[in-house]
Amino acid sequence: MAKPDDRSDNAAKLQEMLQNTEENIRESEDYLAAHAGEISEEERANIEAKNYRRAESIQGFRSEIKDEVSHSE
């Protein structure tokens, strides 16, 4: 038998994922700043591209959190 769809903690899970993603962006920016002269241009570009995708994910998380909160009220 399938488990019932329990969405009661979705907003909290999304908020945690958002915070983790923001932390990953900060850590990679710190890495870039600390190792600017030591990394290749390709590695720098890859990290910056990944941060761009992370920022897009954050926008999605915020939208999903807003939806979850409005549906739970």
Side-chain angles (χ1 to χ4, degrees):
M1 180 180 213
K3 293 172 83 175
D5 188 16
D6 180 11
R7 306 183 83 163
S8 63
D9 61 348
N10 275 5
K13 288 178 182 177
L14 289 165
Q15 183 64 39
E16 184 177 347
M17 289 188 293
L18 184 147
Q19 290 170 340
N20 290 339
T21 304
E22 289 175 331
E23 180 63 24
N24 287 339
I25 290 173
R26 282 191 297 276
E27 287 177 3
S28 63
E29 288 173 345
D30 290 347
Y31 175 83
L32 286 174
H35 302 284
E38 303 166 13
I39 61 174
S40 69
E41 193 57 38
E42 181 180 1
E43 184 178 1
R44 171 181 290 284
N46 287 340
I47 292 170
E48 289 172 350
K50 192 167 199 171
N51 277 351
Y52 180 82
R53 292 189 301 274
R54 286 172 172 151
E56 289 180 328
S57 293
I58 287 171
Q59 290 176 354
F61 290 145
R62 287 186 175 136
S63 177
E64 288 184 53
I65 290 168
K66 185 177 178 182
D67 287 346
E68 287 294 329
V69 169
S70 68
H71 285 104
S72 66
E73 293 176 348

